[in-house]
Amino acid sequence: QVQLVESGGGSVQAGGSLRLSCANSGTTYNSYCMGWFRQAPGKKREGLSSIATEGGSTYYAPSVKGRFTISRDNAKSLLYLQMNSLKPDDTAMYYCAAQIGACSSTVWSSEYAYRYWGQGTQVTVSS
């Protein structure tokens, strides 16, 4: 059973930075496509970024491209999301997600492409 645990959320002023982490308890972490999503109150869950099993391919939503960076440490079974130049619109609950196998370049941003989910970590950006 794969368990995902996010950490690193918090409150920050606009223009600030945060780094989210996601620990994956799966025994073959490097076999999973990993992704980051967020959901603000009253809004749909939004796919932000995804990274291939060996970290060779990454995908970003236009809303975060150039500001957020996804990375993974397979030796430590950790996923990261470095978030810079944060805006109030970035306020949301952030989730990591995992799916065994390769990431799909066409559906990576769909929540239905991932089987495993963490409980989320709250990010609040004040103006």
Side-chain angles (χ1 to χ4, degrees):
Q1 181 72 19
V2 173
Q3 288 188 324
L4 304 177
V5 180
E6 303 94 336
S7 61
S11 297
V12 65
Q13 289 192 326
S17 299
L18 284 173
R19 189 176 81 156
L20 305 183
S21 299
C22 173
N24 183 335
S25 66
T27 57
T28 54
Y29 176 67
N30 61 352
S31 299
Y32 291 86
C33 169
M34 301 296 298
W36 285 102
F37 287 72
R38 68 184 178 191
Q39 189 167 21
K43 294 188 176 181
K44 292 176 58 177
R45 189 165 293 191
E46 177 188 10
L48 302 178
S49 186
S50 182
I51 187 166
T53 54
E54 297 295 337
S57 296
T58 56
Y59 308 93
Y60 293 95
S63 59
V64 303
K65 192 170 186 179
R67 298 190 299 125
F68 291 10
T69 302
I70 192 170
S71 61
R72 64 192 294 165
D73 185 336
N74 285 347
K76 297 180 180 178
S77 297
L78 287 171
L79 176 72
Y80 302 104
L81 186 67
Q82 178 67 44
M83 305 187 296
N84 298 329
S85 303
L86 283 163
K87 307 173 184 179
D89 284 350
D90 294 318
T91 295
M93 185 71 78
Y94 283 68
Y95 300 90
C96 71
Q99 176 60 32
I100 195 162
C103 294
S104 167
S105 61
T106 54
V107 298
W108 68 265
S109 61
S110 170
E111 61 182 299
Y112 301 106
Y114 300 84
R115 179 176 180 182
Y116 305 102
W117 291 84
Q119 294 300 307
T121 185
Q122 177 68 36
V123 172
T124 302
V125 184
S126 58
S127 57

